[in-house]
Amino acid sequence: NLQPGKLDRRATLISGGPRPLGMMGGIDASFDAAIFIGYHARASTTDATLDHTYTGQLKRVWFNDRELGEAGLNAAVAGQFGVPVVFVSGDRTVTEEVAALVPAVEGVVVKEAIGRTAAHLLHPKESIERIAAGVTVGLGRRSRTQPLIFESPVTLRIEVADSGQADQVMLVPGMKRVGPRLVEYVAIDAVAAYRVSRLVRLLAE
């Protein structure tokens, strides 16, 4: 949904897939900060618009007993490289979700959920102005924003939609079945856990 011709000429764009790090493709320690624009709450969340984690098949995801959605998973990948998330925009639920993981993050609410597929929205120009101002604030306090870092090894736990999907996921070497729809994998670090979570997504479809 990006329009490449409207990007700043100094920006580069990664497109296509599959990409080992998904939306965080290209991240490394050379980056000063990450900003998350247009995010949504994790799967199985109330009062959220389009809550999901990757697809509708993954119902809950944890790193070391901390429940995460796509925002948290992406923040964990950035955090392994020492990169803090300084800004997030979306509905109120996702901004609160990220703030619980990264307390100093700047959040801008551009819509309020009415239901999973309905929301009360700001005017697009108002959203753009608030996002631009919020990014400036977030970058301004980057030095006080800590990366989201998980202690290694990282225990990845995922609840899928049905037991048949869990059967499929058990094809992954080292995966453990800890419930009818619950699987667990011990990864060497957050990036490895993230990559396995994406593999689980593919197997559970």
Side-chain angles (χ1 to χ4, degrees), residues 93-188:
T93 302
V94 74
T95 59
E96 292 174 351
E97 179 182 315
V98 177
L101 298 168
V102 185
V105 71
E106 178 69 12
V108 168
V109 177
V110 296
K111 56 190 169 187
E112 298 279 356
I114 296 173
R116 188 174 190 276
T117 56
H120 185 185
L121 310 171
L122 294 178
H123 188 282
K125 290 185 178 179
E126 181 68 19
S127 294
I128 290 170
E129 291 177 1
R130 293 191 189 187
I131 288 169
V135 168
T136 299
V137 171
L139 289 172
R141 60 167 178 254
R142 176 182 57 82
S143 62
R144 304 195 302 276
T145 307
Q146 297 298 313
L148 178 62
I149 297 175
F150 284 87
E151 183 178 350
S152 295
V154 174
T155 299
L156 167 69
R157 188 177 302 113
I158 298 178
E159 179 185 349
V160 294
D162 62 54
S163 59
Q165 292 169 346
D167 291 342
Q168 288 288 104
V169 174
M170 289 306 296
L171 294 170
V172 178
M175 189 69 69
K176 294 181 180 180
R177 187 79 164 262
V178 293
R181 297 183 293 113
L182 202 61
V183 296
E184 186 176 280
Y185 184 92
V186 179
I188 58 172

Side-chain angles (χ1 to χ4, degrees), residues 49-60:
T49 303
L50 294 179
D51 63 299
H52 65 278
T53 302
Y54 299 145
T55 70
Q57 308 309 316
L58 275 60
K59 300 305 181 184
R60 300 181 75 186

